[in-house]
Each structure stands twice: as C-alpha cells, then as structure tokens.
Amino acid sequence: MSDVRDFLLTIDNNKTGAEEIAHQTARKLESKQTSLLQVVQSLDEYIHDEDPAIRAKAVQYLSLVIGALPSNCLTVQQVQVLCEFLCAQLENGSAVGGLRKLSGLRKFTKDMAKMTIRALFANFQDLQIRSPKERLPIFELLNELMSQHRAALKDMGDEFVIGVTDLVSGEKDPRNLMIIFSVLKVVMVEWDISGRAESMFDSVFCYFPITFRPPPDDPYGITAQDLKGRLKDCIAASSLFAPFAFPQLIDKLDSTSPNVKKDVLQAITACASSYSVSVISNYSITLWDSLKYEILNVQEEDLAEEALLSLQAIAIRLSDSLTSADPKSHLARYLRPITNECNEQLQEPQHKQAKPAGQILSSLGTASATAYFLIIKSVMPPLMTMYQAADSITKQRALLEVLVQLFNAAILVKTLPVVPSSDPILVEPLDSFHDRLFELTSQALMSTTKDEVSFRIVALTALLRLCSLQGYLKDNEIGMAVQYFDEIVLEEDPSGRDDLKNQAIQALVEISKAKPHLIMQITFPAFMARLPDSSPPGKNEYLITLEGLAQLSVEKSISDTLVRRLLNRLDVVLQTGGSPTYPQALLSTLIYVLTRRDLRQDPNLSFYHGKLVVDLAQRVVQGAIDPTKSTALNEEATLEILGRLMNLIVRALDDHRQNSVALQVYTLFTDETVWTPVPYQHDVPLPYRLTMILSTSLIASVKREIPLAHNSVETGITHLKELIRLSSIEESPSVRLAILRQIALMVNKILPPSSLPTILDLLEGLSSGLHPTTPLTENAIRTTFWISKALILRLASVSEILTHLLNLISSPSHGLSSARGFALLLAPDEILSKENGATIRLLAKQRVFTICIPRLATDFRNADPAVKQNYLIALSGILKYVPTDVLMPEISTLLPLLLQSLDLPEPDVKAATIETLSVILVESPEAVEEHMASLVTRLLKAADEPTSSTGSSARVRQSALRCLRLAPGKVKESKLLPLKGKVTWGLRACLDDRKRGVRKEAIECRARWLGLDEPDSE
Amino acid sequence: MTTSSTAGPVSITLLSSLAEPSLHHTWLTAAHPTQPLVATCSSDKCVRVYSLKTSSHLSTINGGHKRSIRTCAWKPGLKGENVIATGSFDATVGIWRRWDNDLSLRRSDVKMSEEDFTGANGNGNTDEDDDDEWRFAIVLEGHESEVKSVSWSAGGNLLATCSRDKSVWIWEEMGDDDYETVAVLQEHEGDVKCVSWHPEELLLASSSYDDDIRLWREDVDDWGCVSILRGHESTVWAVEWEGVKSTAQGTSSTENPGIRLASCSDDQTIRIWRKIPKEKGPPQSKLSIIRSGSIEEEWVEDSQLPRAHVRSIYSIGWSKNTGRIVSTGGDGKIVVYIEDQGSWSVLAENDGAHGVSEINHVCWAHMGDNREVIVSTAEDGSVKVWAI
Amino acid sequence: MSDETLNANPAIRNTSDLPSRRRQTSPHSSKQHALGLFSSTVPACAYSPDPFTSSTSSDEENSDDDDIVEPIDEQEIYDLIAPITDPEHPLTLGSLSVVNLPDIHLTPLFPPSSSSTSPPITVLTVYITPTITHCSLATVIGLGVRVRLEQALPSRFRVDVRIKEGTHSTAEQVNKQLGDKERVAAALENGTLMGVLRKMLKGCEGT
C-alpha cells in the first residue's frame, strides 16, 4: 500500500493532491479493493516513527480517509477499531479531526462517545500549553459530541461535569471561549449540577466582566458583545448559582467603570428572567436595596435605565402563575419596600429624586396586571393627599408628572397579553379615583394662571392620557376635555404659548383617531365658528384656526367635510372682499389637506375638478374682464397659490379629463364670445395678462402625451415665437416669469425633437444682438437663459449652448446680467420639474460644471478688470446647486477664485461663495490648508460690521462666522494655531455687532478658536 | 520747578502709538532710566523693547517664561550694556542682558521693523545677528506663585520682587549673573502687588491685596518692617516714590524727610504719605508692634489727590522733573495732577485714551531731549505716548 | 473639590419656566413665517428671488432689518450664563437658580454724553446665589461666569461678578477675589483650573 507513502510525500507541498490520494484510498475501501485492516497496518511503521511530524501526518491521512468514506460504509466493529486507534493517538493533534469525523457516523455508539470523552479528559490535562489553534479542534470535537451524543455524556453524570470544567479552565482565546460558553450552558441546564454548582459558577464567573477588544484586522469578527451575551447566558443558566451570582454581582456594582456596571445590571436582568420564582423572591429585596441607588441618584442615564429593566424583570418573574393579588405573595413582599421608598421620595416632589421614583413605579407597573394593581393600590392614596397638600406649582407639577407616568403604565398594562387561566381578573384600580382624577387634571389645565406654561402642559398630557385609557372616561367627559383643548387653541392669546397650543392640537388629533365623532360634533363647529366671514384687517388669528383644522383632518370623514366647508367659506369671503391674505390662507389649507391624500383614488376628484379648477378659473376670468367683479383671486399672490392647487388636482385627473383641460389652458373654460385668450393679442391690460399664471400651471400639469391646442410642429413653433415676443415686452415680473416658464415647458416637454434645430436657431438669434441694443436686452437675456435651461435639462450634448452663454459674460453692456443668468441654469424650478413631466437629465449638473468651470477659470485670469467680477458671479451661480462630490475634484482650481469672490460686494455672491467654502471646509479640509491665512482674513472682513456701504448684510456676516467656526476641528491644529491670535482678536469687533444673531455666531466661533489648545500649555 | 500753567485747560495730546502692538493683553511698560527706550511686557510671554524716538519695535525678549510676563524693570546705572529683570506668572524672575551697541541707531533697524513680530510663533529676530539678542542671564527662583512686581534699588545692586505668595524677596547681585537672597519678608497678609525702592535710601515700599503698605529697612544685617501705612479700604495696586529733584531745596542730604510716597488703590483713591521726622532722644516708649529693637518710623497720610477715577486705579507715575503725578485705571482715563503749595489739583484728563479698553499702566518717560512724556499701556495691547 | 456632593438635593426648575426671549414675530417677518404650517405647501425654490435683478435691491426685506440695532440686554446676558453646568451636578446654573434674570444689571460707566463717539463703556454686574451658604465652589462658579462673559462680550464691558449678600458665609472674600482682574487672569493660565472651567462651559456650546 503505497498510498500512505505518496500522501506523506505530497502533503507538504501539494495539500489538495494529498487529499486526493486519501480520497482514492477511501474509494478503494468502499469498492472492497482493500480492507480497513490493511490501511491501518500500512500506517503502522509511520505511526511509530520517532519524528512527531510524520506521526501527525499519518494520523491526518487516516482522518481524511475516514472523512471521505460514506457514513454507512463502515461496520460497527470497524468504527470501534478506528475509534480505539485514534483515541490512542490523541496526543498528536490530527487524531482529533478523525474522531470528529467518526463521531458523525451513525454507527458511532454511546460507549464510543464515552471512550472518546474519557480519552480527551485523560490526554489534555493542561490544555493551555498548546496553541489556541491546536485547542480549537478539541473544543469543536467536544461540541460535536455534545450535540450528537448528549445522552451518553449525561450518563457519565458528575464525571463529565468535572472533566469538562477542568478541560476548559484557563481558556483565553475568544473563539474557543464562544464554544466553551455554549457547551457549559447546556451542561448547567441539563445536567444535575447540584453538587458542583459553586465550581461550575466560578468556572464562568472568573471571566466577568469581559474587557475583550477585538484586534483591528480581526478575521473571526467576534465582538465583546457576543462574548458578554454568552457569558450572561451561563451565569443565568441555573437557579443553583443564585447564592454565588447575586452577592458577587451586587459587589461589582460599586465599580467606577460605567461599562462594568452595565454588564452587571444586564446579568442581573438575565438571572431575574431565568432563575426560579422562589430563588428570585429570596434575593428580590436585597437586589432592590442595591439597585435603587443607581436610579434615584442617577449619574448615568443609561445605567438608570438598565437598573429599571432589572427591577422590572424581577417583578415580571414574581408575577408568574400568581393566583391573586393577596398581600403575602412574593410579588407583594417585593413591591412593598419599593412603593414605601417611592412614596417617601414623593414627599419632596420638587427634589431631584421625585422623577426617578415615578419612573420606578411606572416601569414596575407595566411588569404585570397584578403588579400594576398592587402599585396603584399602594401609591394613589398618598399621592392624592400629597397633591392636595402641595403648596407650590413646582410641587404640584412634579406630582402631576408622576401621575402621567402611572397613567402611561395603565395604558401599557392593557396591551399586555392576558393569560386567562393564571391572571386573576382584577378591577381597574384607578376606578376608585375616577372623579377625583378627572377634576384634578381639568382644574390643573384650565384654572391655573395662564402663563404657568410648563405646568399646564403636564396637566394637558395627564388629561389626554386619561382620555386615551380605554373605557376609563365616559364620552361626555372626553367631550369636556375636547372643549378644554379647543378653548386653549382658539381663545388663548397666542404670543409665547405656542408650545401649549401645539400640544392641545396634537391632543385633539389623537382623540380624533379613537373618537372621531366627538371631534366632528364639538371641535369642528367651534373651529368653523371662529373662521371670519370676511378677511379681518391686520392680525391673522384665523391662521391658527386653519392650522388646527388642517392638522385635525387626518381622519377621512373629517377632511372631506373640511374641504366642503372651506369652499363655502371661500365663496362667502370672495364676495365680501378685503385683504387677499385670508382667501390665500384658505387656498393654502386646501392644498395642505389635499396633498395629504392620494387624489387619484379620491371619489370626490371630479367634484374638486369642477369646483376648484373650472369654477375658480372662470371667476378669475370674470374678474379680469370686468374690474368691478375682480376679487382677491385676481391678486398676483393668490393666482400663484391657486395655480398650485389647480396643478395638484389636474395632475390627478384621468387622460380624458386632462384632454379637455389641455384644450382650454388659455381659454380657461370660458367661451370665446366673452373672453379672448392672451396670446396673439397686443397691449392687453395687466389683469388679463395675470391669467397667464394659471395657464402655466395648467400646461405644466397635463401629461407630456396629451396634445395642447397647437398640435402640429409648425403651430408649436409659431406659438413658441409668440411666447418669446410676449416675454420680451412683458414688464410685470410674475407674468413674465409665467410666460418664461411656458417657453421652457414648450422647449423641454412639449415640442418634439424634430423642432430642436429651429429652437437652437431661435436661441442664436435672440442673443446675438439682432435686436438693436434697446433697453429690453435684459428680457432677451432672460429668455435666452430660460430656453438654454430647458435645453440643458433635456439634451445630452450641451457644450455648444454653454459656450455660447459663456461668451456673453465678457460683453460690457449685458455681461453682468448674463453672469447672473448662470444661477438660473441649475436652480430647481417649481414648474419645470419631474412631477410636471419635464425631462430632467441626471447628469445635467455634472455636464454644466465640467464644461463651465475650466473655461470660467481661464477667462477670469485674462479678463480685463471691468468684467472680471462677472466670471466670479457666474461661478458662484453654478456652484450654488452643484452636489459636493462633483465639486471636490476641481477644488484646487476653484479655491483661488472663491477666495477672490469673497471680495465682491454683492451679498448673494458672497453668501453663495461662503456656502461653497463651508462645504469644502467640511468635505476636504486638507485642500484649504495652505489658503487658511487668506481665507481667515477675508472671512473676518466679511463678518465685520458694515461700516462702508459695501459691507455685508447680517445674513452674510452670520454665514461667514459660521464658516470660520468650522475650521477648528476640521483643519489640522498646527495650521490654525499661528492664526489663533489674529482670529480671537479680530472677532472682538463682531461681539459688538448690532444684530443678536451675528453676535451669537461670533461668540460660538470665538469659543471654538479659543478652545484650540495652547501648544505649550502644561 | 513747576512749569507755569498756561491759561485754559491743559490737554494730554497723543504723540504716537508704538508700532506692532501685541495681540494680547499688555500689563506694564518700563521706561529706561536714561535712554528713550521702553519695555512692554505682555500675556504672550514676551517683552517688546521700543524706541520712543522712532516709536518702532527694536527687540523682543521671549522664550524664558512659561506664562504671562507681568512686570519688568531696567537696571539703573549701567554703561554700554542693558539689563532687564522680568517677573512672570510662572513664579520666576528672569534677568536678561544685552550689549548696548547704541540700540537706537542700528543698521538692521529697517529690516527689524518690517518683520512681523506679532505672530505668536515669531520668536523675533533670526539667529544670525546674535549679539543684538537679549540673553537669558539667570533665573531667580523662590517664589511659590505669580510674581507681581520687581524693582531695582537706586544703586542698582539690590532687586526687590513680590508675589501672590504674600512674600517680598530682596536679592543682592554678588557678581556677574550671581544673585543671593538677602531677605524674605512675609508679613503681608495677602497677595503683594507692588514693590518700589526709595530714590536715595535703602528703603523699600510694598503694597498689597490686604489693603496695607509696608516700609522695610535693613537694621544691622537684618531686613525688617519699619512702618505700616494703613488707610486704603481696598487692594493697594501700586506705590511710587517722589523724585529727589522736585523736593524743596536746602534740606539736609542724609535724611530727607521731604521725599513722600504716593499710593493708588482699588478704593479709587490716590494718597500721599509723609514721614514724621523722629526727634532724637528718649527711646521709644510705646510697645512697638514691630520687632523690638528695630528702628521704627512713623508715616502719616499727607493728603489725598482729588477723586478723578470711577473704577479701580491700577497705576501712578510721579515725575522726577515736574513733580506731577499721572494716574490711570479700569475706567480707561489718564489723569495728571499738579501740586501747588501743598494742595493737589487735576491738571488734565483724557478719557477714552485707549478707546473702550482698560489701561493697566502709566509712567513718565523722557525722550532724550529732556522732554518728558507719558507712556500708557492698555488691556487691548496698545501702548501710547502722550505729551502734556 | 469635595467628593461627597455638598448639596445632594437642590430644587430644580423646569427649563421651559426659565426666562426666555419671547419669540415676538418681528413686525415684517419674511414671507416664510407668515404661512406657518402651510409654508410646506410652497416649494422652497419659490422663495429665491429672480437671479437677474441685482440682489441688493430685491433683498429689501433683509436690508431694513439690518439697520435695527438689537442692543445687548439683560436677557442676552442671562442666555449666555444660564446654560453653564454646575461643577457638582449634571444641571445648569439656570435650572439651579444660581443665576437669575433679576440679578443682572447693566449700567453705563459715564453719563451718556454725546461727545464720546465710541459705544459707551458699560458696567455689567451679575449677582450669583450659591445653592447652599457654605458652598466652597462659589468661587469656581463665579470664575466660570466671569470667564464666559469676558470671552463672549465686547471689551467695552466691565464685568463684575459678585455673590448675592446674605447668601454665602464668606461672600466678602469671594467677591474680592472675583473682582481682582489680575488674579482672574492668572487663574486662567492655571491648567487644572481651566480644565474645570472648560467642562463647565461645555454646556454653552451650540445653545
């Protein structure tokens, strides 16, 4: 049999080859070409070789052969032989692999398992002398035996327990520990360890607390948390450990390290959840005495929480299979000292300990229905009397806060799964305090002096909790609460009490979920009654009512009624005239409510289409035609809001209805005889032209495929030319903007690709100065940039258009306005957006950036001084909207330009430049390092009080200071320290800035720079 | 010799601001006894030497102290060389030495001034012109906490220092850069703020946070307190002796009862103290609260200057030539007083001398052409020269 | 610092009860404010002014805001020092009522004369109330308040921090120390003390 010799030769340099040889032997065995006996005998000479490496490789060969054999091919005797053979060879590591494979075979009997374990115990007395890698397979074998042959090992009883404990003692390697902990846990749970409880406990507790920190390149990915979890399971495995676990854990609770304390608390929680009820009951009081300090004198927030969890776990455990709330039960004995201590702490409600006492009561109150019952029974009476006796608002508030916590517990307990058989049916303990509580919370809310804001907020929360406690308050009582909340929202003077008002609205919203009918009957009419019929001069009280109504209309039926009511109110208001802000608020509320639902499935969609789109559009037209009929709707700002409302509704319409809208975007649903649409008319009065705002919204809302009136390419182009004519003569900014947006929609969304060449010619004509240099050139520039914007967002290749725009910058007459135009190109637009069907290419920003920046940089360098600043304005316009990752590669070219842009007087440019610099400072501070000195000087100048007229506005001063504040912490300190004196000295002037916001930023910035450590501070 | 006061209010006019002010608080500026030079010490642990003529920055002392330098003083009576003692919050006193190759006319003057000295890391001149550099001769250690004031005796061989550790130390220069402690005086009950030597006699005045002023003399070979001047109701920030020249002529040279002491305090008053000449004769009968056997003197409050300040008065200067007193303090005012037949009156005032900043120190200095100026040092790092 | 907390059980005031600057909506708050909840119905880009018109003119609502001078008042001083954390408790001086709005006084040093052009030198006096009468930390708290104010206020302010009479056994000595500007400056250069002060002032960042 040369296989073993071939194996020995190849194993060193060709591992797979050697394995192949072993597999061949296995196949020969299978096909009975050779016998097991022969294989074992062939090993004989190598097994006894004096070189241990040879011996190990021989056994490895045997193990591989066994591994390659199918599980049923060996007979029991053969397995027995192999097992004995390998057990004898155990002292060299590879035998373990073989045994592991053997134990996997079905024929591996109980006795064999015992024999293997005994061999293991015998051979590896002091396992720790071997390397962790050698120890690992041994533990894996142990683990394998535990899972395959547990019964056998159990029969060994104490012998196994002792053996395992000795085998694993002293282990440090995390991977091995993970296996050991899981093995030991099983032993602790399933074996009878009554005799050996202490030694078993000590064998695991010696690792407590785990301070393992995984090495940086840890291949196995074992975290401290994993180890801690497994160790915790062991500690909590058996109640027998209690006499050792609790004392030692409590002792470690005095450690100064928060992490250790956290592990202790989590261990106690684990033990409380798994030890037996009687054991836990013995220790419950001692545990309470040591844990209460962590909560009452809270040092670390999370430790208090962990301690609360432990106490709760104990309470949950003691509530198990509790037949009644009789006072002698374990639970009752445990809760008594706790409620006494809390009652005592609550005597001084305004002191630090009052709040944690409330937390203890409420967290234990949610442990179980019985616990809740017992706690409420013992705490409520004294709490009530204390509240009665409380002589100061602060005391009453603290007690109210405890009540809120108890109410929270009451609500939570109701959600606990009721186990019918075991839990005694308990009456709601709060019932006996029903009237008193309702009266107390209502009085606290409504009859305290109005400006005790924080107290009334707590009272409101308490009352709201009572309303949300199922079946506790009767509907009429909840109704009264609703009235109180309405009164707070509607009646109370708004200044300074908005957080109370918001809480009241939130309370109404919560109640509307459970009891919508109460809101409909009480709140709705109260709010609607407050809405004025005509728009009140000055103060916009109605806004709070509308906000309340809007937030309340979460529930479907309520919001439908609201929309109808708002519409009738709008009709009334439009007739009575007055300032447009009120109708605008009504329209905004409608938008707010309608955006919160999916209009497409809304059954009332056609109602909204008729009432909100067609009717209102017709009223606008009537108002435009006959000034006497003009209403608030004809105001510019109202038209913009109305346009948004219409856009929202039309977008949800089906194709059929969108078709009809598409054909009437200019006629606005009014017949020809009375009204002629604005396009193709000359010197049309402003009210007429203002309707273009609605037309733009309607055009935008119609799907791309739906044809407009001019459905052929030619009529499309002529319409485009007409719009361009209109835009170049239009003076009213909002009408001009509406027309420009229509042009952009035509170029980007409506006109087919075939019309693009003509559009480009139009663009060329517009800006190449064909028109005499009349004052209107700025409008021409505007139209040029809007068309370019539409094209840039639509087309893939845009360099030609951009180069054309870049050339405009240097022209002395309209170079400046062209430079400003660049801010328009990438700015997000409400109308030209994806929702309105426009094509918005993802890479548009990237393209504009990569084409324009290098060109701007070179042109800037050799531009003549007069127009130099134009390039910086154009640059800041682009950078404003370019995402940072696009920006970063070009920083080195950008920085010098940006720094010089800071010297420009224009606040917008300064603001944009500072914004970009702040981003760069955060994203890649190293790039800014060598410019630090000049950046600091310029930012200090920008933050300086506007002595000269070109001084920067408060907004710019503030953002400059905010940018300066970023440097410490981002840029290397060695670069900042030389500038520290200059900055802290320079900022002294900003501390006296006349705007409070700027002063605040200056203080923060100066504190940050002062914080830079002195280099030689000892 | 009092100049005749011209009709109309006299004004304190700004001559110049010393260039390159420190970007940190500046505490004190010491005027050179003879040359038109001043040394300003600042919380950036440096002392900057300026020329009053060109009001430009000549040289810098740094690298010797680990904390702010609170005080400094030029050593009087030296030829061809300059020595400055610096007292710092790091509880040590440094003695610095520099060859006096005619500091004011220096070829590298021009190069010197445009170099930026204010940068915190700028350690002043580069190394190559070594001989111009201030050398750190010796450090005097002994005080346990911040040193508040240093003062050279008229002859220049004794140096007095005081500190928050309530002690006054007197050092004697035994040889080149070799000093010995001759006295450690620990009778003050609080932080000692200022020490000042009598212009002629070996008499040292010290003022303290405990509201007292004490006078010290050497009796045989042991220094002791000869008098306690009580009257101030709060911290006495500074004391200054009257100049020799300005007293009435014709008094005996040995003991000159005429030389008085001025003191300024946080109680916003400036007081003048005069010694009661002791008649020869019977040994003192009263139980002396000073150690028995030491010579005891009696000083009394001669007068109080008119109240011109509304905040704590930090510093006063008593002109040797004109006998005028200049004062300054937390209210940012500079006030000059003049004495006429024993009664003091305000000659001139200048409020907002350094804008809104407090002024920490003021002293008389001469411009070389025996014109006398006032040098004021403010909290905001500016140092200004005024004419009156 | 004594390790057992001197006053383990101070009365604590709820932050929303502390004096704060009522959010008076400034007379012509920008358009965004007016809509309140419904400002969400107007997309953000609708507010950016037309880039073409030169921004200074169209920015009018900002510029006249700019001229209104918002003087430094007692409330601003209070907001500066209330968030300082007490060296002993994880609580702020405001919630412990160590600093209170009525105990802050601003008075001009010289009678307001039209002559002096520069802004008036102002004396700021802050009285602090230690939580218990023999609190040894009163000096540290006073120093913390003084350092915070001196770092945050322009140099025309003269900061006087005093212990309120009758609230502390050694008020007189503490006040003398806090009033001595030189000793305060020296204290600031003492590394360990600055460490304590920096921890106390940590609470002020980002408020």
Side-chain angles (χ1 to χ4, degrees), chain B residues 27 43 67-68 70 89 146 148 164 191 193 209 211 235 237 310-311 314 330-331 333 356-358 360 379, chain C residues 109-110 118-121 123 155-156 158-160 173 176-177 179-183 185-187 189-191:
Chain B
W27 288 108
S43 63
R67 290 205 188 155
S68 298
R70 171 67 179 84
F89 278 177
E146 298 86 18
K148 297 297 177 73
R164 177 163 63 88
D191 173 5
K193 294 291 186 184
Y209 180 80
D211 310 354
T235 306
W237 280 102
V310 285
R311 290 284 290 186
Y314 294 138
D331 54 12
K333 285 170 73 171
V356 291
S357 175
E358 288 188 314
N360 291 335
E379 178 80 3
Chain C
L109 186 60
F110 301 111
S118 55
I121 298 179
V123 178
S155 47
R156 62 186 171 83
R158 301 293 184 263
V159 178
D160 291 347
Q173 289 99 318
K176 182 157 190 173
Q177 271 216 53
D180 185 323
K181 124 179 166 142
E182 183 192 57
R183 290 169 75 96
E189 297 192 9
N190 160 340

Side-chain angles (χ1 to χ4, degrees), chain A residues 34 122 172 382 458 669 733 789 1008:
Chain A
T34 171
K172 287 280 178 296
V458 179
F669 319 103
K789 178 189 176 72
R1008 185 67 69 84

Side-chain angles (χ1 to χ4, degrees), chain B residues 43-88:
Chain B
S43 63
D44 62 4
K45 306 162 196 143
C46 305
V47 175
R48 287 175 180 72
V49 177
Y50 298 91
S51 141
L52 284 181
K53 270 215 177 54
T54 64
S55 70
S56 67
H57 174 219
L58 299 183
S59 64
T60 307
I61 296 179
N62 58 38
H65 288 291
K66 288 203 279 300
R67 290 205 188 155
S68 298
I69 298 178
R70 171 67 179 84
T71 175
C72 66
W74 298 84
K75 187 163 191 246
L78 290 179
K79 281 289 172 293
E81 191 196 20
N82 272 318
V83 171
I84 289 186
T86 56
S88 152

Side-chain angles (χ1 to χ4, degrees), chain A residues 498 992 995-996 999-1000, chain C residues 23 65 70 76 156 207:
Chain A
D498 23 35
D992 219 355
K995 303 307 280 182
R996 188 156 293 125
R999 285 199 296 267
K1000 200 160 152 23
Chain C
R23 210 165 38 79
D65 260 5
E70 295 161 351
E76 186 162 346
R156 62 186 171 83
T207 45

Side-chain angles (χ1 to χ4, degrees), chain A residues 680-704:
Chain A
Y680 303 101
Q681 285 196 48
H682 290 278
D683 44 48
V684 168
L686 181 59
Y688 279 68
R689 303 201 317 269
L690 278 172
T691 61
M692 285 295 260
I693 297 176
L694 292 190
S695 308
T696 305
S697 297
L698 292 175
I699 294 169
S701 59
V702 169
K703 288 199 193 60
R704 181 200 301 271

Side-chain angles (χ1 to χ4, degrees), chain A residues 733 736-737 740-741 778 781-783 785-786 789 814-829 873-874 876-878 880-881 906-909 912, chain C residues 45-59:
Chain A
R736 180 174 58 208
L737 181 61
L740 286 170
R741 278 173 162 162
E778 178 157 309
I781 300 278
R782 253 200 198 91
T783 315
F785 272 87
W786 269 98
K789 178 189 176 72
H814 42 264
L816 181 59
S817 53
S818 305
R820 289 200 185 111
F822 277 82
L824 176 73
L825 291 183
L826 297 177
D829 186 65
I873 293 171
S876 81
I878 293 174
K880 216 169 170 181
Y881 300 104
E906 304 219 353
D908 260 4
V909 173
Chain C
C45 50
Y47 292 119
S48 58
D50 168 13
F52 284 92
T53 50
S54 69
S55 53
T56 36
S57 68
S58 80
D59 214 352

Side-chain angles (χ1 to χ4, degrees), chain A residues 380-400:
Chain A
M380 282 308 279
L383 198 59
M384 282 295 127
T385 32
M386 265 188 278
Y387 187 85
Q388 207 54 34
D391 49 13
S392 79
I393 285 275
T394 30
K395 279 193 176 152
Q396 283 179 337
R397 191 193 51 246
L399 292 173
L400 259 181

